[in-house]
Amino acid sequence: MTQSTIATPAGMEITGQIKSGYAQILTPAALALVAKLSRTFESRRQELLAVRVAQAKRLDAGQRPDFLAETAPIRAADWRIAPVPAALECRRVEITGPVERKMVINAFNSGADSYMADFEDSNTPNWDNQITGQINMVDAVRKSISLEQNGKHYKLNDKVATLLVRPRGWHLDEKHVLIDGKRVSGAIFDFALFMFHNAKEQLANGAGPYFYLPKLESHLEARLWNDVFVMTQNELGLPQGTIKATVLIETILAAFEMEEILYELKDHSAGLNAGRWDYIFSCIKKFKLDKDFCLADRAKVTMTSPFMRSYALLLLKTCHKRGAPAIGGMAALIPIKNDPEKNEVAMNGVRTDKARDATDGYDGGWVAHPGLVELAMAEFKKVLGDKPNQFDKQRMDVAVTAADLLNFQPEAPITEAGLRYNINVGIHYLGSWLTGNGCVPIHNLMEDAATAEISRSQVWQWIRSAKGVLEDGRKVTADMVRALIPEELAKVKEVAGDSPSYARAAQIFEEMSTSESFAEFLTLPLYEEI
C-alpha cells in the first residue's frame, strides 16, 4: 500500500510505507490533529531547541547553572498540583519497555502497578516500530491484544497495570511525515496519534490518557507541553485536566527548575521521576569542557554519589511539597538465569536500590524486567504497608543547594576495564539499535539509549579532560580508544553474532567518541541511518 491509498491533510506528505493495518492509525482525522498541533507549536519547539544550544554554549564557556531568580516567587508561593486521579494514586512499582507486542502484553501482566509504554529511549524509532507500536496501544487499551509466537499464546490478564505512554523528546523529528515541507516533531506525532485513538476509550475504562515526558531542560519546555495538552483536549472535546503527565527529571538543567516544571503542568501533572541514567549523561554532556569535571568509571557513579543523592532528595522533597507523586528511577539490573551466585548479587542490588527509595519517601520506582516486579514491590510494601503512596512524607529536613547538585563525585577510579566496558556496551547497543531493537540486555544490565549515552560521552570526555587518566597512570587518548575498538568489537560479535550492524556501530562509536565536536544525542545521527 502507498500513500495514495490514504487521505492526508493538505500540506502533509507521508514517505513511510503504508503496510497492512497502518491505515487504521493514519486516519484522516488523526493526521489532521497531528497537522494542527504541528502548525501551531512547531515554531515554539524550534525556538526552545535554539535556547538549548545557546545555554550549552554558555556552559561550555564556564557558566554554572543556578536556581532561577525570575521564578523565585513560584518557588516561594503556596500551591499544589491538581489531585491525581485514582488510577495514578498507587504506583509503587512501574515497569518500562518498548512498544513491541509481546513485551507490551508481558508488561501489562507483570504485576506492576503501572506500565510505561516507551516510544522513546528503549525503542528504535524506525517507521515500523512507531506505527506498529500505535497499533499495539490501540489493541491493548481495548484489551484485545494477543499474540501467537513459538507455540505460545499471549493475551492480557483480567488485572493489568495502569498504562502511561512516553512519546519522543522535543529534539527528535519524525522524518517520514512532512508538514509544509518540514519534518513533524516526533513528540507531537506520537502523542497526537495515541490521544486521538485512545483517550476516550481509556476514560470509559476508568483511567485516562497518562504520559511520561522525556528530556525536558526547562519549565518553558514544560509550558509547551501544557499548551499542547490544552489544545488537544479542546480538539477532542475532553475536559481540561484529563491528560496527566509525569516529567522525567533527567537533565541537570531541569533539576534546577523542578518546582517551575510542576507549576507549568499543575493541572496536568502526575509528578516527577528521577531518570538517573539520562541525568548522568546530561551532567557529562553539559560540563564536557569543564576542566574541573570528570567522573569515574560508569559503574562507580551510583545513586549514593553526592550529586545523585542531592538530586534524588531534592526531587522527592519538591514533589511532596506540591502534592505530586515522586517516582524513583530505573534499576538496570536484570535476573541472571544461568548463574545463581551472580543472580543473587544482582537481586540484592535491586533490593538495596528500592529499599533506599522507599525509605527516603519515594512513592514508587522503576524496573526493566517482569522478574523484578515482585522483589521491588516487597521493598516498597515493607515501608508503605497498605498505603498507596507517601505523599504525606514531606522531608523538611532536606536542604539542597546549587553546589550540592554540582558536587560531581567520584572522579576516580578510571580503569582500562571501565574504558573497555564503555566501548563494548556502546558498540553492542548501537549495533542492536540499528537493527530495530532499542532495549538490549548486555552484561546482565538492561541497556537503552540513556545508558549507552553515558558510555560514549564518558569516553569522549575522558579523552579531553586532564583528569581522564587511568589508575595505572596512562592518559586516555583517541589513539588508545581506536586501538581498543577492534578488540571490543570482536568480543561483541562472539556474544551477539556477526551482523554487519556491529561493524557499522564500531565505526559510529569511534567517530562519536574521538571527533572534535560532541554529538548532542547519539540517536540523532543514528536516526538518519535507519
Side-chain angles (χ1 to χ4, degrees):
M1 188 182 289
T2 64
Q3 183 186 337
S4 62
T5 62
I6 64 170
T8 56
M12 177 183 283
E13 179 186 0
I14 296 179
T15 62
Q17 185 180 4
I18 310 300
K19 296 182 179 180
S20 176
Y22 287 17
Q24 69 169 298
I25 298 298
L26 302 171
T27 63
L31 293 175
L33 179 61
V34 172
K36 181 156 190 175
L37 292 175
S38 181
R39 288 186 173 120
T40 303
F41 296 110
E42 178 61 14
S43 62
R44 276 180 61 192
R45 178 175 82 106
Q46 294 300 333
E47 289 168 5
L48 289 169
L49 292 177
V51 169
R52 288 187 182 184
V53 173
Q55 176 74 310
K57 288 180 179 178
R58 288 192 291 272
L59 294 175
D60 285 346
Q63 184 184 84
R64 285 283 175 120
D66 203 345
F67 298 99
L68 302 179
E70 62 267 31
T71 55
I74 291 173
R75 297 194 298 275
D78 183 16
W79 52 269
R80 304 286 185 276
I81 68 164
V84 296
L88 293 178
E89 287 180 351
C90 183
R91 298 163 64 184
R92 296 161 299 187
V93 178
E94 296 192 334
I95 189 168
T96 77
V99 285
E100 187 269 333
R101 200 166 184 88
K102 178 182 172 183
M103 291 188 180
V104 168
I105 297 170
N106 287 342
F108 269 115
N109 291 342
S110 66
D113 293 312
S114 316
Y115 159 45
M116 189 198 77
D118 192 13
F119 285 90
E120 199 227 9
D121 266 5
S122 67
N123 169 65
T124 299
N126 63 39
W127 179 245
D128 289 338
N129 283 352
Q130 297 309 107
I131 305 303
T132 59
Q134 293 283 354
I135 293 170
N136 293 339
M137 292 296 97
V138 166
D139 292 345
V141 167
R142 288 153 184 81
K143 298 192 174 179
S144 62
I145 189 170
S146 64
L147 177 67
E148 296 285 345
Q149 190 177 87
N150 300 325
K152 291 185 178 180
H153 180 69
Y154 298 86
K155 65 176 184 177
L156 293 184
N157 297 336
D158 292 335
K159 186 180 186 315
V160 296
T162 297
L163 176 64
L164 300 101
V165 172
R166 179 162 69 173
R168 282 170 281 186
W170 282 133
H171 62 290
L172 293 169
D173 297 334
E174 175 46 68
K175 66 181 179 180
H176 299 93
V177 180
L178 306 179
I179 295 178
D180 305 326
K182 297 179 180 179
R183 291 180 178 183
V184 71
S185 157
I188 283 178
F189 183 76
D190 299 341
F191 167 80
L193 291 180
F194 180 85
M195 280 295 297
F196 182 87
H197 291 293
N198 301 298
K200 290 180 180 177
E201 184 74 20
Q202 289 179 298
L203 289 168
N205 292 339
Y210 308 141
F211 295 91
Y212 260 100
L213 305 180
K215 306 292 188 291
L216 269 64
E217 294 197 8
S218 74
H219 70 285
L220 297 179
E221 294 182 15
R223 182 181 298 172
L224 176 56
W225 266 119
N226 196 74
D227 291 347
V228 170
F229 293 166
V230 170
M231 173 173 275
T232 302
Q233 288 164 151
N234 285 336
E235 291 295 309
L236 298 179
L238 300 172
Q240 291 300 320
T242 296
I243 296 169
K244 297 296 181 185
T246 306
V247 172
L248 287 142
I249 301 298
E250 53 187 356
T251 68
I252 180 68
L253 297 181
F256 287 91
E257 300 184 34
M258 290 191 221
E259 292 197 72
E260 294 91 330
I261 287 169
L262 286 176
Y263 183 81
E264 294 293 344
L265 286 160
K266 65 178 184 291
D267 291 338
H268 298 105
S269 179
L272 304 176
N273 176 291
R276 61 182 71 171
W277 303 113
D278 259 308
Y279 190 81
I280 295 170
F281 161 59
S282 172
C283 293
I284 299 169
K285 175 168 65 173
K286 296 303 184 185
F287 301 108
K288 61 185 179 292
L289 300 183
D290 188 329
K291 60 181 174 53
D292 294 322
F293 176 92
C294 190
L295 288 176
D297 283 356
R298 176 182 140 177
K300 300 295 184 184
V301 183
T302 69
M303 292 305 293
T304 59
S305 300
F307 72 107
M308 297 300 289
R309 186 72 181 141
S310 296
Y311 143 76
L313 289 174
L314 179 61
L315 186 148
L316 170 61
K317 179 181 181 179
T318 300
C319 283
H320 287 180
K321 176 182 177 183
R322 304 303 184 181
I327 308 298
M330 174 70 74
L333 295 157
I334 56 176
I336 305 169
K337 294 180 180 179
N338 57 359
D339 191 325
E341 289 187 13
K342 285 186 177 179
N343 184 65
E344 185 55 29
V345 172
M347 295 306 97
N348 280 335
V350 177
R351 287 187 193 97
T352 300
D353 184 76
K354 301 312 171 193
R356 182 183 57 252
D357 277 353
T359 303
D360 283 345
Y362 273 84
D363 304 300
W366 274 12
V367 297
H369 192 285
L372 299 176
V373 170
E374 186 176 350
L375 181 155
M377 188 72 76
E379 295 306 318
F380 275 96
K381 285 185 174 179
K382 284 178 186 176
V383 176
L384 276 72
D386 295 331
K387 294 196 306 179
N389 55 58
Q390 303 189 81
F391 293 176
D392 58 341
K393 197 165 187 176
Q394 292 292 300
R395 294 308 305 260
M396 299 303 291
D397 57 309
V398 171
V400 174
T401 66
D404 293 329
L405 291 174
L406 301 173
N407 181 12
F408 296 117
Q409 301 287 338
E411 294 185 345
I414 300 171
T415 66
E416 180 179 327
L419 176 60
R420 286 182 176 275
Y421 184 92
N422 279 343
I423 295 169
N424 186 285
V425 167
I427 293 171
H428 194 158
Y429 181 81
L430 296 181
S432 296
W433 196 97
L434 288 169
T435 65
N437 181 15
C439 185
V440 190
I442 305 174
H443 305 310
N444 304 317
L445 295 175
M446 191 63 78
E447 302 280 347
D448 69 2
T451 49
E453 290 279 29
I454 299 173
S455 290
R456 68 96 181 179
S457 61
Q458 273 203 313
V459 173
W460 191 96
Q461 207 265 336
W462 285 344
I463 290 171
R464 283 150 189 83
S465 172
K467 295 181 177 180
V469 178
L470 301 182
E471 62 179 352
D472 61 13
R474 288 178 294 160
K475 175 74 182 75
V476 179
T477 65
D479 286 343
M480 179 189 291
V481 171
R482 291 189 187 101
L484 294 177
I485 283 174
E487 298 176 21
E488 294 308 313
L489 172 59
K491 294 177 187 175
V492 169
K493 287 182 174 181
E494 287 178 13
V495 174
D498 196 14
S499 166
S501 69
Y502 294 111
R504 177 62 185 134
Q507 292 176 336
I508 294 170
F509 188 89
E510 180 178 330
E511 292 164 7
M512 296 186 86
S513 59
T514 63
S515 66
E516 282 304 309
S517 60
F518 183 89
E520 185 74 3
F521 291 96
L522 63 80
T523 47
L524 291 175
L526 281 179
Y527 186 55
E528 303 308 319
E529 302 216 3
I530 59 174

